[in-house]
DNA sequence: CTTGTTAATTGATACACTATTGATATATTG
DNA sequence: CAATATATCAATAGTGTATCAATTAACAAG
């Protein structure tokens, strides 16, 4: 008998709800903050208001959102209690002592020809000939923790500049580029830090003999898929193992 | 239906139901995922919709499926049968070229006093004064890939020997120790390989300059929680980054 | 500075419409 | 009873628009 593997996507409102739940859980959407208006948000996501409202209803049922007519929708992040039900899994960088508020400093944003500049071993993604290459520093509690190179597709009509990019790229993708991430795969290994690593960055790390001579750091390759299941973002991250570690949890 | 497998055994709908139950059990059909529509699925299986629906009814009665008219059929995996140990697990080691059949060779199993031998920085776990320390080699497609140290609680009446651990550890936990793993947290970083690494193991790795001088490998600390949400297993894994990598996936 | 009114914004509700999907019923063949 | 095949019903998903109700911001009057 043939196996019946074919699966389907979850309903759109569920996927949106889960995406927002993850962003709340990760702190990308801060506790107490107000979401954009439903009309605007629906427009950014490219869905009807009714669909978005279904997603928001599910968030309120999970206790992650408070909705006030005439005022707005407010993020509510309950203490560890109810979270157990809503959070299944996540991956992130965190400080060795745990946690850490993530921030980032963009070093460069460049439109580059994929054939010429994109990593040879990287995956195919997007339809344009060019891609945007974003390089940035990542900090946790203001401590230099990792450097990162991110690739997204660069169609003719898409433009990205350093000023556009806040700490969370996901918010930028959703609000400006009209796509959002519904699935990721991380491959974690070790690697030498790249030649473009800022000198000040590497120097600020301790002088331990463990990794100093060869600058061998933790290394993450991430493939992120959007709502149409296309590879929308490819990133490479080198993290300093004396400062941070990669954490994955599943419940 | 004229496939070779269905040779006058059980009714077709029972066979289909059992096949799907196996796939749910194995994690091929993940908890929460949505099946293809009944019409499409029946077509793929080469059976009539009515037959498929009988099979789905049986899954519903076993509690493995939730059916929602107008929306879809959703996999529901009861907590009792949730276990992380499937080849489709979202957190795993794999070969650099992808995949790899995991096997293991146990080096030692010892009952040791926790206070004396358990890693100082490790977490509290269990109630007994002793713990079992299991050390083993892990292979992927028979290729040496990682070494691993695992700790589980060692109450007075619990006994573990090398012979017990031929198969999957999770299977042993479940069948002999009466607990099963429902959640894990992995912390991934880099570290020197421990002094008990078998010489033959380390030598077999390539002579690349990347990690040869300091033997800096990928390093995973895993905390595994059982059905009562207690820390039931704590493991430390060193993996050779020239052979394997750690992979995490969501969605 | 406070107060009251007005206008704009925002969430809530309702409805129309299309498409998909599970549920039900029936007829037919072994 | 098992299985196929077909038609029809009912619930959900999603888009789109209009309207109501609560809140907020703006502003003029005192």
């Amino acid at each position: 008998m043939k196996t019946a593997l074919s699966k389907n996507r979850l309903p759109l409102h569920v996927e949106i709800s889960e995406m927002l739940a993850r962003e709340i859980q990760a702190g990308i959407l801060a506790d107490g903050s107000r979401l954009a208006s439903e009309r605007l948000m629906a427009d950014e996501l490219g869905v009807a208001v009714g669909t978005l409202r279904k997603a928001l209803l599910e968030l309120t049922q999970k206790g992650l959102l408070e909705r006030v007519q005439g005022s707005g929708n407010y993020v509510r992040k309950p203490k560890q209690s109810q979270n157990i039900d809503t959070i299944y899994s996540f991956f992130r960088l965190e400080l060795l002592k745990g946690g850490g508020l993530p921030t980032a400093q963009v070093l460069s944003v460049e439109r580059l020809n994929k054939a010429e500049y994109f990593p040879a071993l990287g995956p195919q993604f997007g339809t344009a000939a060019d891609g945007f290459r974003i390089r940035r520093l990542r900090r946790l509690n203001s401590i230099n923790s990792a450097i990162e190179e991110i690739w997204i597709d660069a169609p003719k009509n898409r433009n990205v500049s350093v000023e556009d990019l806040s700490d969370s790229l996901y918010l930028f993708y959703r609000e400006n580029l009209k796509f959002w991430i519904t699935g990721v795969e991380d491959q974690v290994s070790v690697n030498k830090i790249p030649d473009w690593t800022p000198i000040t960055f590497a120097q600020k790390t301790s002088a331990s003999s463990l990794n100093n001579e060869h600058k061998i750091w933790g290394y993450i390759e991430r493939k992120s898929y959007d709502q149409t299941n296309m590879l929308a973002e490819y990133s490479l991250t080198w993290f300093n193992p004396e400062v941070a570690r990669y954490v994955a949890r599943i419940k």
Side-chain angles (χ1 to χ4, degrees), chain A residues 118-151:
Chain A
F118 188 69
L121 293 177
Q124 286 274 325
F125 78 100
T127 54
D130 294 344
F132 285 111
R133 188 186 69 186
I134 302 164
R135 287 177 167 172
R136 59 178 196 168
L137 309 183
R138 286 180 59 181
R139 301 194 178 92
L140 294 167
N141 284 355
S142 303
I143 301 169
N144 290 334
S145 304
I147 60 173
E148 194 163 64
E149 176 169 315
I150 301 157
W151 286 84

CSV table of all heavy atoms in Angstrom, one decimal, chain A residues 118-151:
chain,number,residue,atom,x,y,z
A,118,PHE,N,26.4,35.2,-3.8
A,118,PHE,CA,25.7,34.3,-2.9
A,118,PHE,C,26.6,33.1,-2.6
A,118,PHE,O,27.2,32.6,-3.5
A,118,PHE,CB,24.4,33.9,-3.4
A,118,PHE,CG,23.5,33.2,-2.5
A,118,PHE,CD1,23.0,33.8,-1.4
A,118,PHE,CD2,23.3,31.8,-2.7
A,118,PHE,CE1,22.2,33.1,-0.5
A,118,PHE,CE2,22.5,31.1,-1.7
A,118,PHE,CZ,21.9,31.8,-0.6
A,119,PRO,N,26.7,32.7,-1.3
A,119,PRO,CA,27.5,31.6,-1.0
A,119,PRO,C,27.2,30.4,-1.9
A,119,PRO,O,26.1,30.0,-2.1
A,119,PRO,CB,27.0,31.3,0.5
A,119,PRO,CG,26.6,32.6,1.0
A,119,PRO,CD,26.0,33.3,-0.2
A,120,ALA,N,28.3,29.8,-2.3
A,120,ALA,CA,28.2,28.7,-3.3
A,120,ALA,C,27.4,27.5,-2.8
A,120,ALA,O,26.6,26.9,-3.5
A,120,ALA,CB,29.6,28.2,-3.7
A,121,LEU,N,27.5,27.2,-1.5
A,121,LEU,CA,26.9,26.1,-0.9
A,121,LEU,C,25.5,26.4,-0.4
A,121,LEU,O,24.8,25.5,0.0
A,121,LEU,CB,27.7,25.5,0.2
A,121,LEU,CG,29.1,24.9,-0.2
A,121,LEU,CD1,29.9,24.4,1.0
A,121,LEU,CD2,28.8,23.8,-1.2
A,122,GLY,N,25.1,27.6,-0.6
A,122,GLY,CA,23.7,28.0,-0.1
A,122,GLY,C,22.7,27.5,-1.0
A,122,GLY,O,22.9,27.1,-2.1
A,123,PRO,N,21.4,27.6,-0.5
A,123,PRO,CA,20.3,27.0,-1.3
A,123,PRO,C,19.8,28.0,-2.3
A,123,PRO,O,20.1,29.2,-2.3
A,123,PRO,CB,19.2,26.8,-0.2
A,123,PRO,CG,19.5,27.9,0.8
A,123,PRO,CD,21.0,28.1,0.8
A,124,GLN,N,19.1,27.5,-3.3
A,124,GLN,CA,18.3,28.4,-4.2
A,124,GLN,C,17.2,29.1,-3.5
A,124,GLN,O,16.5,28.5,-2.7
A,124,GLN,CB,17.7,27.5,-5.3
A,124,GLN,CG,18.7,27.0,-6.3
A,124,GLN,CD,19.0,28.0,-7.4
A,124,GLN,OE1,18.1,28.7,-7.8
A,124,GLN,NE2,20.2,28.1,-7.9
A,125,PHE,N,17.0,30.4,-3.8
A,125,PHE,CA,15.9,31.1,-3.2
A,125,PHE,C,15.5,32.2,-4.1
A,125,PHE,O,16.3,32.9,-4.7
A,125,PHE,CB,16.2,31.5,-1.8
A,125,PHE,CG,17.0,32.8,-1.7
A,125,PHE,CD1,16.4,34.0,-1.5
A,125,PHE,CD2,18.4,32.7,-1.9
A,125,PHE,CE1,17.2,35.1,-1.4
A,125,PHE,CE2,19.1,33.8,-1.8
A,125,PHE,CZ,18.5,35.1,-1.6
A,126,GLY,N,14.2,32.5,-4.1
A,126,GLY,CA,13.7,33.7,-4.8
A,126,GLY,C,13.8,33.5,-6.3
A,126,GLY,O,14.3,32.6,-6.8
A,127,THR,N,13.3,34.6,-7.0
A,127,THR,CA,13.2,34.5,-8.4
A,127,THR,C,14.1,35.6,-9.1
A,127,THR,O,14.4,35.5,-10.3
A,127,THR,CB,11.8,34.7,-8.9
A,127,THR,OG1,11.3,35.9,-8.3
A,127,THR,CG2,10.9,33.6,-8.5
A,128,ALA,N,14.5,36.6,-8.3
A,128,ALA,CA,15.2,37.7,-8.9
A,128,ALA,C,16.7,37.3,-9.1
A,128,ALA,O,17.2,36.3,-8.5
A,128,ALA,CB,15.2,38.9,-8.0
A,129,ALA,N,17.4,38.0,-9.9
A,129,ALA,CA,18.8,37.8,-10.1
A,129,ALA,C,19.6,38.3,-9.0
A,129,ALA,O,20.7,37.8,-8.7
A,129,ALA,CB,19.3,38.4,-11.5
A,130,ASP,N,19.1,39.3,-8.3
A,130,ASP,CA,19.8,39.9,-7.2
A,130,ASP,C,19.3,39.5,-5.9
A,130,ASP,O,18.1,39.1,-5.8
A,130,ASP,CB,19.7,41.5,-7.3
A,130,ASP,CG,20.5,42.0,-8.5
A,130,ASP,OD1,21.3,41.3,-9.1
A,130,ASP,OD2,20.2,43.2,-8.9
A,131,GLY,N,20.1,39.7,-4.9
A,131,GLY,CA,19.6,39.5,-3.5
A,131,GLY,C,20.2,40.6,-2.6
A,131,GLY,O,21.2,41.2,-2.9
A,132,PHE,N,19.4,40.9,-1.6
A,132,PHE,CA,20.0,41.8,-0.6
A,132,PHE,C,20.8,41.0,0.4
A,132,PHE,O,20.4,40.0,0.9
A,132,PHE,CB,18.8,42.5,0.2
A,132,PHE,CG,18.2,43.6,-0.6
A,132,PHE,CD1,16.9,43.4,-1.1
A,132,PHE,CD2,18.9,44.7,-1.0
A,132,PHE,CE1,16.2,44.4,-1.8
A,132,PHE,CE2,18.2,45.7,-1.8
A,132,PHE,CZ,16.9,45.5,-2.2
A,133,ARG,N,22.0,41.5,0.6
A,133,ARG,CA,22.9,40.9,1.7
A,133,ARG,C,23.0,41.9,2.8
A,133,ARG,O,23.4,43.0,2.7
A,133,ARG,CB,24.3,40.7,1.1
A,133,ARG,CG,25.1,39.9,2.1
A,133,ARG,CD,26.6,39.8,1.6
A,133,ARG,NE,27.3,41.1,1.6
A,133,ARG,CZ,28.5,41.3,1.1
A,133,ARG,NH1,29.1,40.3,0.5
A,133,ARG,NH2,29.0,42.5,1.2
A,134,ILE,N,22.5,41.5,4.0
A,134,ILE,CA,22.5,42.3,5.2
A,134,ILE,C,23.5,41.7,6.1
A,134,ILE,O,23.5,40.5,6.4
A,134,ILE,CB,21.1,42.3,5.8
A,134,ILE,CG1,20.0,42.8,4.8
A,134,ILE,CG2,21.1,43.1,7.1
A,134,ILE,CD1,18.6,42.5,5.3
A,135,ARG,N,24.4,42.5,6.6
A,135,ARG,CA,25.3,42.1,7.6
A,135,ARG,C,25.1,42.9,8.8
A,135,ARG,O,25.0,44.1,8.8
A,135,ARG,CB,26.8,42.3,7.1
A,135,ARG,CG,27.1,41.2,6.0
A,135,ARG,CD,28.5,41.5,5.5
A,135,ARG,NE,28.9,40.3,4.7
A,135,ARG,CZ,30.0,40.3,3.9
A,135,ARG,NH1,30.8,41.3,3.9
A,135,ARG,NH2,30.3,39.2,3.2
A,136,ARG,N,25.1,42.2,10.0
A,136,ARG,CA,24.8,42.9,11.2
A,136,ARG,C,25.5,42.3,12.4
A,136,ARG,O,25.8,41.1,12.4
A,136,ARG,CB,23.3,43.1,11.4
A,136,ARG,CG,22.6,41.8,11.5
A,136,ARG,CD,21.1,42.0,11.8
A,136,ARG,NE,20.4,40.8,12.3
A,136,ARG,CZ,19.2,40.8,12.8
A,136,ARG,NH1,18.5,41.9,13.0
A,136,ARG,NH2,18.7,39.6,13.2
A,137,LEU,N,25.6,43.0,13.5
A,137,LEU,CA,26.0,42.5,14.8
A,137,LEU,C,24.8,42.2,15.6
A,137,LEU,O,23.8,43.0,15.5
A,137,LEU,CB,26.9,43.6,15.5
A,137,LEU,CG,28.0,44.2,14.7
A,137,LEU,CD1,28.8,45.1,15.7
A,137,LEU,CD2,29.0,43.1,14.2
A,138,ARG,N,24.9,41.2,16.4
A,138,ARG,CA,23.8,40.9,17.3
A,138,ARG,C,24.3,41.0,18.7
A,138,ARG,O,25.4,40.5,19.0
A,138,ARG,CB,23.2,39.5,17.0
A,138,ARG,CG,22.4,39.6,15.7
A,138,ARG,CD,21.8,38.2,15.4
A,138,ARG,NE,20.9,37.7,16.5
A,138,ARG,CZ,20.3,36.6,16.5
A,138,ARG,NH1,20.5,35.7,15.5
A,138,ARG,NH2,19.6,36.2,17.5
A,139,ARG,N,23.5,41.6,19.5
A,139,ARG,CA,23.9,41.7,20.9
A,139,ARG,C,22.8,41.2,21.8
A,139,ARG,O,21.6,41.1,21.4
A,139,ARG,CB,24.1,43.2,21.3
A,139,ARG,CG,25.1,43.9,20.5
A,139,ARG,CD,25.5,45.2,21.1
A,139,ARG,NE,26.6,45.9,20.3
A,139,ARG,CZ,26.4,46.7,19.3
A,139,ARG,NH1,25.2,47.1,19.0
A,139,ARG,NH2,27.4,47.2,18.7
A,140,LEU,N,23.2,40.7,23.0
A,140,LEU,CA,22.2,40.3,24.0
A,140,LEU,C,22.5,41.0,25.2
A,140,LEU,O,23.7,41.0,25.7
A,140,LEU,CB,22.3,38.8,24.2
A,140,LEU,CG,21.9,37.9,23.0
A,140,LEU,CD1,22.4,36.4,23.3
A,140,LEU,CD2,20.4,37.9,22.8
A,141,ASN,N,21.5,41.8,25.7
A,141,ASN,CA,21.8,42.7,26.9
A,141,ASN,C,23.0,43.6,26.6
A,141,ASN,O,23.9,43.8,27.4
A,141,ASN,CB,22.0,41.9,28.2
A,141,ASN,CG,20.7,41.4,28.7
A,141,ASN,OD1,19.7,41.7,28.2
A,141,ASN,ND2,20.9,40.6,29.8
A,142,SER,N,23.1,44.1,25.3
A,142,SER,CA,24.1,45.0,24.9
A,142,SER,C,25.5,44.3,24.8
A,142,SER,O,26.5,45.0,24.6
A,142,SER,CB,24.2,46.2,25.8
A,142,SER,OG,23.0,46.9,25.8
A,143,ILE,N,25.6,43.0,25.0
A,143,ILE,CA,26.8,42.3,24.9
A,143,ILE,C,27.0,41.7,23.5
A,143,ILE,O,26.1,41.0,23.0
A,143,ILE,CB,26.9,41.2,25.9
A,143,ILE,CG1,26.7,41.7,27.3
A,143,ILE,CG2,28.2,40.4,25.8
A,143,ILE,CD1,26.5,40.7,28.4
A,144,ASN,N,28.1,42.0,22.8
A,144,ASN,CA,28.3,41.5,21.5
A,144,ASN,C,28.3,40.0,21.6
A,144,ASN,O,29.0,39.3,22.3
A,144,ASN,CB,29.7,41.9,21.0
A,144,ASN,CG,29.8,43.4,20.7
A,144,ASN,OD1,28.8,44.0,20.4
A,144,ASN,ND2,31.0,44.0,20.8
A,145,SER,N,27.4,39.4,20.8
A,145,SER,CA,27.2,38.0,20.9
A,145,SER,C,27.4,37.2,19.6
A,145,SER,O,27.8,36.1,19.6
A,145,SER,CB,25.8,37.7,21.4
A,145,SER,OG,25.5,38.3,22.6
A,146,ALA,N,27.1,37.9,18.5
A,146,ALA,CA,27.1,37.1,17.2
A,146,ALA,C,27.2,38.1,16.0
A,146,ALA,O,26.9,39.3,16.2
A,146,ALA,CB,25.9,36.3,17.0
A,147,ILE,N,27.7,37.6,14.9
A,147,ILE,CA,27.6,38.4,13.7
A,147,ILE,C,26.8,37.5,12.7
A,147,ILE,O,26.8,36.3,12.8
A,147,ILE,CB,29.0,38.7,13.1
A,147,ILE,CG1,29.8,37.4,12.8
A,147,ILE,CG2,29.8,39.6,14.0
A,147,ILE,CD1,31.1,37.6,12.1
A,148,GLU,N,26.2,38.2,11.8
A,148,GLU,CA,25.2,37.6,11.0
A,148,GLU,C,25.1,38.1,9.5
A,148,GLU,O,25.3,39.3,9.3
A,148,GLU,CB,23.8,37.8,11.6
A,148,GLU,CG,22.7,36.9,11.2
A,148,GLU,CD,21.5,36.9,12.2
A,148,GLU,OE1,20.9,38.0,12.4
A,148,GLU,OE2,21.3,35.9,12.7
A,149,GLU,N,25.0,37.2,8.6
A,149,GLU,CA,24.8,37.6,7.2
A,149,GLU,C,23.4,37.0,6.8
A,149,GLU,O,23.2,35.9,6.9
A,149,GLU,CB,25.9,37.1,6.3
A,149,GLU,CG,25.7,37.4,4.9
A,149,GLU,CD,27.0,37.1,4.1
A,149,GLU,OE1,28.1,37.4,4.5
A,149,GLU,OE2,26.9,36.4,3.0
A,150,ILE,N,22.6,37.9,6.2
A,150,ILE,CA,21.2,37.5,5.9
A,150,ILE,C,21.0,37.8,4.4
A,150,ILE,O,21.4,38.9,3.9
A,150,ILE,CB,20.2,38.3,6.7
A,150,ILE,CG1,20.4,38.0,8.2
A,150,ILE,CG2,18.8,38.0,6.3
A,150,ILE,CD1,19.9,39.1,9.1
A,151,TRP,N,20.4,36.9,3.7
A,151,TRP,CA,20.0,37.1,2.3
A,151,TRP,C,18.5,37.0,2.1
A,151,TRP,O,17.9,36.1,2.6
A,151,TRP,CB,20.7,36.0,1.4
A,151,TRP,CG,22.2,36.2,1.3
A,151,TRP,CD1,23.1,35.8,2.1
A,151,TRP,CD2,22.8,36.8,0.2
A,151,TRP,NE1,24.4,36.1,1.6
A,151,TRP,CE2,24.2,36.8,0.4
A,151,TRP,CE3,22.4,37.4,-1.0
A,151,TRP,CZ2,25.2,37.3,-0.5
A,151,TRP,CZ3,23.3,38.0,-1.9
A,151,TRP,CH2,24.7,37.9,-1.6
